[in-house]
């Protein structure tokens, strides 16, 4: 048996012993005596009597251990030309002061703070400062529109919002303050204060009284010590798209999260203290939470915050320049980023001149790594390219090739094997565990390991109905797939109405809700269709009301989605169709629509009786 098999088997045979051992890598203010509380299934709590502070584990203890001068955070912003490195001592100093300032504004343990920010160091400092106080942060991705921000504000009810004067995209400046104003106007539970980081050269007027200037706040603040919290206290709430328009607030605890992430840094990513780890994602996504902010810092590594794109800032050599400049040891990105680099630089000419000898592994996740992109990356980088599969809900990889434990030969198209603690099963429709090779719903037998979601914010019932009811005793991932005879998992895609555009998770239901409000639209459906670069794109199909005018319709609908959901939806494809296929009970058959749009010969239901209508619908769908 190899190292992996021993570890994996041990993790399932005696999960308490396994995670108790992993928990010794964390500094506890009260060491947990109980490892798993399984007294209230399907709710499970890890380390129920443990007490710790996540920020102290990410910063203070490294400084105390003599690593204060080591780089903790490297900020590189090609969109502004700014580069800055924070040592552990500096990052701790800023974070402790920020925590003091937040406390002076009334933030205490258990209070929520919404963070709506671009990729600047203050975003990381704000998150860590919340953790230091035992407050709960909820980061909202900057590409979401005010309405989406308002929905999250009303759900999580923050005491304050931390934001910046603007975000800087290569094509334009994103003005945050008008969006904050709109969101606060829409929200029924507005925060008491907004803290605003004024970006260099982009000072904006703020509403004195309610609004607080970050720099002034920091100048007056005194540093505060970390507040010990229960391991089961929430560290953050991160909203993600479900099948409906209402996002799900994934709740992450402190203790399980710290234990699990540390385990992954060493065993999955092969990262030790002092190594440089770069997750080219955004702090608004789970990858940013786990692997820009918490994972690398918990591990005593150096993390990288990159405010740029894979291409255009300034060219497709941007990632290679970063690796060269900071001697990066591991890069984590989304397959989309590799596809867009490859499109602009198919022969990877932009690699020339950069020293990539520090880079040991390239990790990808967020969407399926297609074999073509895999082969391209391996050919040009000549290092292991590791696909791994996970979700906002789990916070860390469900399946991976654990490079710090045992490297497996890669099977392109597979994220390799289940990670410790994840009893992955493929369930058939009647809920039985299926044998190797058969496709079905990918489920995880409960309990899931530490670090996975504890529940949904203020919605225990929805947590159960969304994930745990379909197959009692199992967590439903929402992905379909199979396990082959060698134990490799193959993830084939979502089985629900969630889509993945450029590694960004979106709800087709949310887009439909926007389209349906247009006065000319009688009914609509939104499906994910294949896109060569972004993996998937959202495509809208609308049926018009009798006599409705469709002039400007497409432009209007595209604008509505951008205004209501945000630029991140990248919604551009809309077609008027004569009818939508439905079940007898009136449910729109999105699966049939997806199948036809993807070129499969799906049978149309008998609810559309007119052959010419059917033919027209087919023609529109297959036109692409
Ligand atoms: N704030 C505000 N707007 C944002 C934003 C942010 N943080 N991020 C993206 N947007 C905007 C973009 O400017 C774009 O607007 P536009 O329609 O006016 O051009 C829109 O949202 C769509 O963005 P995106 O889908 O990211 O497309 P893009 O063309 O800007 O970039 C890639 C394409 C492939 C370079 C980019 O999507 C990428 O780097 N993807 C990697 C995905 C990733 O990191 N996923 C996280 C999981 S690992
Ligand atoms: P998110 O919650 O945004 O991380 O999105 C999670 C979803 O993205 C998963 O349920 C999958 O559908 C998809 N996904 C993430 N990583 C992978 C991967 N490595 N392979 C296939 N699909 C993936």
């Amino acid at each position: 048996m190899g190292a992996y098999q021993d570890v994996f088997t041990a993790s399932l045979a005696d999960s308490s012993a396994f995670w108790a051992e992993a928990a010794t890598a964390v500094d506890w203010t009260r060491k947990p005596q109980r490892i798993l509380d399984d007294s209230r299934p399907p709710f499970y709590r890890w380390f129920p009597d443990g007490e710790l502070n996540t920020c102290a584990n990410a910063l203070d203890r490294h400084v105390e251990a003599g690593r204060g001068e080591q780089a903790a955070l490297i900020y590189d912003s090609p969109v502004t030309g700014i580069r800055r490195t924070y040592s552990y001592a500096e990052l701790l100093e800023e974070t402790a002061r920020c925590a003091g300032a937040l406390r002076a504004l009334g933030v205490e343990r258990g209070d929520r703070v919404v963070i709506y920010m671009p990729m600047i160091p203050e975003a990381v400092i704000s998150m860590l400062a919340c953790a230091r106080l035992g407050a709960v942060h909820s980061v909202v991705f900057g590409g979401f529109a005010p309405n989406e921000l308002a929905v999250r504000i009303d759900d999580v009810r923050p005491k304050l919002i931390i934001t910046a004067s603007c975000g800087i995209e290569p094509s334009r400046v994103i003005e945050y303050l008008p969006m904050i104003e709109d969101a606060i106007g829409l929200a029924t539970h507005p925060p008491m204060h907004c803290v605003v980081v004024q970006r260099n050269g982009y000072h904006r007027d703020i509403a004195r009284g309610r609004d607080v200037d970050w720099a002034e706040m920091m100048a007056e603040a005194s540093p505060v010590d970390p507040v010990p919290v229960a391991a089961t206290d929430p560290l953050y709430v991160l909203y993600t798209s479900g099948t409906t328009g209402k996002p799900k607030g994934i709740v992450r605890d402190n203790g399980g999260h710290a234990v699990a992430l540390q385990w992954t840094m060493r065993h999955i990513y092969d990262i030790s203290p002092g190594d440089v780890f770069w997750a080219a994602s955004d702090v608004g996504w789970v990858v940013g939470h786990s692997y820009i902010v918490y994972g690398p810092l918990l591990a005593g590594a150096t993390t990288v915050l990159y405010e740029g794109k894979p291409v255009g800032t300034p060219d497709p050599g941007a990632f290679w320049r970063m690796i060269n400049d900071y001697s990066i040891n591991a890069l984590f990105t989304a397959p989309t980023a590799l596809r867009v680099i490859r499109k602009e630089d198919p022969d990877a000419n932009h690699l020339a001149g950069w020293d990539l000898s520090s880079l040991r592994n390239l990790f990808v996740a967020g969407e399926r790594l297609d074999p073509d992109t895999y082969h391209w990356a391996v050919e040009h980088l000549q290092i292991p390219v590791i696909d791994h599969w996970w979700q906002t809900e789990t916070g860390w990889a469900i399946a991976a090739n654990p490079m710090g434990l045992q490297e497996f030969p890669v099977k392109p198209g597979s994220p390799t094997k289940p990670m410790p603690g994840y009893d992955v099963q493929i369930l058939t429709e009647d809920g039985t565990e299926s044998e190797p090779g058969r496709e079905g719903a990918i489920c995880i037998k409960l309990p899931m390991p530490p670090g996975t979601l504890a529940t949904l914010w203020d919605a225990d019932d929805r947590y159960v109905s969304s994930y745990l009811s379909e197959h009692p005793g199992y967590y439903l991932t929402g992905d379909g797939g199979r396990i082959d005879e060698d134990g490799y998992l193959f993830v084939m895609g979502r089985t629900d109405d969630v889509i993945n555009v450029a590694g960004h998770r979106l709800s087709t239901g949310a887009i439909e809700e926007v389209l349906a409000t247009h006065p000319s639209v009688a009914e609509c459906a939104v499906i994910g269709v294949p896109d060569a670069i972004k993996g998937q794109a959202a495509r809208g199909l609308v049926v018009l009301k009798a006599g409705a005018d469709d002039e400007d319709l497409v432009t209007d609908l595209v604008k509505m989605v951008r205004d209501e959901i945000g630029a991140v939806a990248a919604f551009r494809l809309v077609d008027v169709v004569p009818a939508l296929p439905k079940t007898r009970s009136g449910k729109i058959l999105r699966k049939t629509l997806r199948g036809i749009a993807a070129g499969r010969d799906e049978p149309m239901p008998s609810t559309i009786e007119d052959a010419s209508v059917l033919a027209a619908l087919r023609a529109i769908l297959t036109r692409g």
Side-chain angles (χ1 to χ4, degrees), residues 311 316 337-348 370-374 376:
V311 297
L338 299 178
R339 286 196 295 268
V340 81
I341 294 171
R342 179 186 178 192
K343 182 171 173 236
E344 288 207 6
D345 185 18
D347 299 323
D370 53 285
D372 255 15
T373 307
Y374 167 77
W376 180 85

Side-chain angles (χ1 to χ4, degrees), residues 108-437:
E108 296 292 344
R109 175 176 171 185
D111 289 339
R112 278 80 62 205
V113 173
V114 161
I115 299 175
Y116 185 62
M117 284 178 115
M119 288 281 285
I120 55 177
E122 289 84 350
V124 178
I125 291 165
S126 300
M127 292 165 76
L128 291 165
C130 289
R132 193 168 190 83
L133 293 175
V136 182
H137 60 69
S138 188
V139 184
V140 179
F141 177 63
F144 280 119
N147 179 55
E148 290 289 321
L149 179 56
V151 168
R152 288 156 173 80
I153 290 173
D154 278 341
D155 199 63
V156 83
R157 302 188 181 195
K159 252 198 180 152
L160 57 87
I161 297 187
I162 309 179
T163 189
S165 52
C166 64
I168 303 168
E169 285 287 291
S171 56
R172 67 199 148 92
V173 171
I174 316 279
E175 296 292 343
Y176 275 64
L177 300 186
M179 292 203 276
I180 293 276
E181 270 331 308
D182 287 353
I184 289 179
L186 288 167
T188 35
H189 299 282
M192 288 183 334
H193 295 289
C194 290
V195 176
V196 181
V197 177
Q198 297 279 13
R199 301 197 64 179
N200 251 343
Y202 298 93
H203 278 245
R204 302 289 184 255
D205 289 341
I206 59 172
R208 292 273 167 193
R210 187 200 64 193
D211 291 358
V212 177
D213 180 283
W214 170 281
E216 290 172 16
M217 169 189 99
M218 289 290 273
E220 289 160 12
S222 314
V224 295
D225 287 336
V227 175
V229 298
T232 52
D233 273 8
L235 169 68
Y236 68 76
V237 178
L238 177 59
Y239 286 88
T240 190
S241 303
T243 49
T244 67
K246 190 172 159 42
K248 294 169 169 166
I250 304 301
V251 178
R252 192 88 58 217
D253 69 8
N254 275 273
H257 175 254
V259 171
L261 287 193
Q262 278 216 89
W263 189 92
T264 65
M265 290 310 295
R266 175 84 199 87
H267 296 95
I268 298 181
Y269 301 106
D270 192 23
I271 290 294
S272 303
D275 281 342
V276 184
F277 187 82
W278 176 28
S281 178
D282 188 290
V283 289
W285 305 117
V286 70
V287 176
H289 281 62
S290 293
Y291 294 113
I292 295 175
V293 183
Y294 290 109
L297 296 178
L298 286 165
T302 302
T303 190
V304 180
L305 186 74
Y306 174 69
E307 192 183 22
K309 303 273 174 180
V311 297
T313 55
D315 57 38
F319 277 19
W320 322 139
R321 192 267 301 166
M322 288 285 292
I323 295 162
N324 173 94
D325 285 1
Y326 304 112
S327 301
I328 288 165
N329 301 117
L331 167 62
F332 178 167
T333 190
T336 303
L338 299 178
R339 286 196 295 268
V340 81
I341 294 171
R342 179 186 178 192
K343 182 171 173 236
E344 288 207 6
D345 185 18
D347 299 323
N349 294 324
H350 282 267
L351 275 169
W354 301 120
D355 177 2
L356 265 54
S357 57
S358 60
L359 192 67
R360 300 193 291 259
N361 295 300
L362 168 63
F363 296 92
V364 293
E367 51 177 323
R368 180 167 178 267
L369 174 62
D370 53 285
D372 255 15
T373 307
Y374 167 77
H375 289 298
W376 180 85
V378 170
E379 180 193 338
H380 292 290
L381 296 173
Q382 298 285 320
I383 54 167
V385 175
I386 306 302
D387 185 11
H388 59 324
W389 169 65
W390 50 299
Q391 322 180 297
T392 307
E393 287 85 344
T394 63
W396 60 284
I398 308 167
N401 197 339
M403 300 304 283
L405 180 62
Q406 181 181 348
E407 180 179 350
F408 287 96
V410 168
K411 293 195 188 187
S414 164
T416 316
K417 304 211 175 196
M419 287 298 92
Y422 288 106
D423 187 353
V424 177
Q425 298 292 338
I426 307 295
L427 298 192
T428 56
E429 263 171 26
D430 65 6
T432 49
E433 295 181 358
S434 66
E435 67 279 8

